[in-house]
Amino acid sequence: MTSREQLLQEVRERLRQRVGGFFGNTRRDHGMACGICCGPTSDGICSVCRVARNEFGQLLADQTVILTYARGYAPFVHQSVHTVKGYKRNPPATKSVDDLKLMVLGATVLHGSCLAVTAGEPWGAITFVPSENFPEGTHPLAQLARAAVGANTPDNRLTLALGPGIGLGGRSVRADRFSVPPEYCDRVRGRHVLLVEDTWTTGSKAQSAAIALKAAGARYVTVLCLARWCRHDWSDHRALLDSCTDPYDAFACPVTGGACPPGCGPGTLGIL
Amino acid sequence: MGGERRNGDRNSLADAADDGMGALWGQGTPTVASVLTSSPEERAALVALLRARPGGATWPQMTAEVADSGSALEVWRRHSPLELFDAHSVGDVDTLADAMRDINAWDAADFTFLTFADASYPAQLRDVHQFPPVLFSRGELRQSDRAISIVGSRSASDRALNEARDIARMLVEQDVTILSGLARGIDTVAHLAALDAGGRTVAIIGSGITRYYPAENRELQDRIASDGLLLSQFWPDSSPTRHTFPMRNAVMSAYGCATIVVEASEASGSRIQARLAVEHGRPVILTEAVARGTHWGRALVGRPCVSVATTPADAVEAACAAIAVRDEFVDLLAIAVE
């Protein structure tokens, strides 16, 4: 093995050891899980994602890459939930921060070619889904976004502004939750933008952010989300979670949910 | 801005020299803040919430709510909206005052009272979902203590006791802290071997900090408190119960870099700790006796982080590797992006 291959294997093994005890890979196989959000559905696309698509169509994210599941509402707090919440607490759970950074790093370094090939080019700008709780770049999610490997340079980074609809409409996708500040429009226009999020419950935040990016001229939006939030106390959700028994494998393709696209995947450069 | 830099120009996580937009990103997040520490009212509100458990919340639920909000006082107010003008709220005010009085008494006692938001709270405990909201300690608290749990049966064989002793001694030579639960058998031997070798030892106990259990370990407990560190997550005067020991094991798993199970039965508390450690993403090292001789040991082999040691030296090597892996983690993050 070359040293690069060894390094990739090392990332895989470290992740297996650090998060394999509580995280598995997501599914997006037809009949089991939603091809957009990886939540349970037998219809290919779940009802929530379908409603959003009917309303916003091409304005939504073109590609969603969701790495794992968080098991919410279990009788005891599950470590997966602790990890996706604890990383942004103050003071933070430091291992959770490092675990999630390594997940982002692993996904982008191992599957950068996979998420570039569908878009036709690698991502050229990066941002994250902001929230009301943290002003601008102080959001702990920014630390995770920093770990994405690719065109992650200061002049390719941007933050989204909160729009008038930020707190409205419960968990619906809205065009006015976020906006691209004028000074960052150049970084977005015509580009493939990587949009980093920590948890996907209904996708209303991430998809609303994707709409803001598209409205500002983004050519293609890839959502890279750490965890799909599922409910242990809902039988369909639990059945899906319980079907993912293997420890998290960073080599498994989070873009396709199956084999990596031809010529892409760990160790390949693809069109990078 | 918006230059021609594309994928060829990979960033480094170690790169602190970002300008403009990059400087704002992920750099302003405090690592260890002490929102609660700064104010006695915050500490009192946390204690009061844990006692009152509004809405029948469990401790973990209560703790998560406070941690998510960042302020115990805010959570307290959320659950006592009528505080200022409702006669029934007098009880609530008393609860806060009681908590304040108790904290004052604890601060005057020969032990230390800590909340999870304090700077001196062992940070690694926050890594797990069972992190205790309050801690009582005697002895020297250290940030980034390089500790390894040595656990096993209360009625271990002589052979296993010797192995535990050897492992503890060898780890002390590597400047590793010996962590255990002050129970009879393996725990006692591990603590004693560490102290006798001049090493540091930490005991996490299943009772309140003012209690001694088992009674015959009274002297050892005081010795650990004076030469090492004694930790308890329970109210100071509480007795141990069959529920407190497994809770204590979760905290032991969290405190150490890895857990070594020397000898254990089918129904042992060590089994619980081993399972929890795997769930926490902390390495577990089983002796062959455990890996082959128990159902749960056999089931754990092959799970992430679980290894089997044939000799005490093997166990020590695996434990030291676990510490090294933790120490070099940030380097890996930096190297991998180059």
Side-chain angles (χ1 to χ4, degrees), chain B residues 102-266:
Chain B
D102 286 341
I103 291 170
N104 286 337
W106 296 335
D107 286 344
D110 69 342
F111 53 79
T112 303
F113 166 62
L114 295 166
T115 77
F116 73 91
D118 291 345
S120 50
Y121 181 92
Q124 68 272 33
L125 300 186
R126 284 191 289 258
D127 290 345
V128 309
H129 64 84
Q130 302 97 333
F131 69 99
V134 293
L135 269 185
F136 298 87
S137 72
R138 288 172 69 199
E140 188 203 347
L141 286 158
R142 278 187 198 170
Q143 280 299 330
S144 20
D145 206 351
R146 300 164 79 244
I148 296 288
S149 276
I150 301 179
V151 297
S153 170
R154 287 176 163 79
S155 51
S157 65
D158 286 346
R159 183 196 151 113
L161 292 173
N162 284 330
E163 283 180 355
R165 205 174 281 123
D166 288 348
I167 291 169
R169 269 196 216 117
M170 284 187 274
L171 284 173
V172 164
E173 280 170 25
Q174 302 292 320
D175 210 19
V176 171
T177 298
I178 304 303
L179 170 64
S180 201
L182 205 65
R184 294 186 188 99
I186 299 290
D187 289 21
T188 297
V189 163
H191 286 303
L192 277 172
L195 288 169
D196 292 346
R200 173 172 162 89
T201 191
V202 175
I204 302 185
I205 59 176
S207 66
I209 193 110
T210 66
R211 296 300 188 99
Y212 293 91
Y213 183 87
E216 71 254 32
N217 271 350
R218 184 184 187 100
E219 192 190 335
L220 177 59
Q221 181 166 325
D222 284 339
R223 205 176 148 198
I224 293 171
S226 94
D227 296 353
L229 173 67
L230 187 71
L231 286 177
S232 166
Q233 74 215 76
F234 307 103
W235 298 129
D237 296 325
S238 50
S239 306
T241 71
R242 67 193 173 89
H243 300 296
T244 58
F245 292 108
M247 290 168 73
R248 174 279 306 267
N249 282 107
V251 177
M252 282 176 66
S253 161
Y255 190 94
C257 302
T259 294
I260 301 175
V261 187
V262 177
E263 185 180 83
S265 62
E266 285 295 350

Side-chain angles (χ1 to χ4, degrees), chain A residues 133-261:
Chain A
N133 302 329
F134 301 96
E136 290 232 325
T138 65
H139 196 299
L141 194 46
Q143 299 173 80
L144 306 187
R146 284 180 80 89
V149 176
N152 202 340
T153 55
D155 53 1
N156 287 332
R157 295 178 187 144
L158 63 133
T159 45
L160 295 172
L162 304 178
I166 181 65
L168 304 176
R171 293 198 178 279
S172 62
V173 179
R174 296 174 65 99
D176 62 351
R177 282 197 201 279
F178 307 104
S179 66
V180 177
E183 65 268 33
Y184 297 134
C185 284
D186 280 359
R187 301 184 183 192
V188 169
R189 200 170 297 127
R191 287 240 175 122
H192 173 193
V193 183
L194 188 70
L195 171 63
V196 180
E197 172 65 308
D198 50 16
T199 49
W200 179 298
T201 306
T202 61
S204 60
K205 292 275 170 59
Q207 291 288 29
S208 298
I211 292 170
L213 291 166
K214 287 285 183 73
R219 191 186 64 75
Y220 195 95
V221 174
T222 295
V223 170
L224 174 62
C225 179
L226 270 303
R228 171 69 160 90
W229 180 272
C230 283
R231 293 189 61 142
H232 177 86
D233 58 343
W234 289 355
S235 59
D236 56 338
H237 281 226
R238 197 200 303 194
L240 179 66
L241 292 170
D242 289 348
S243 75
C244 303
T245 51
D246 289 341
Y248 184 73
D249 180 359
F251 273 33
C253 188
V255 177
T256 66
C260 292

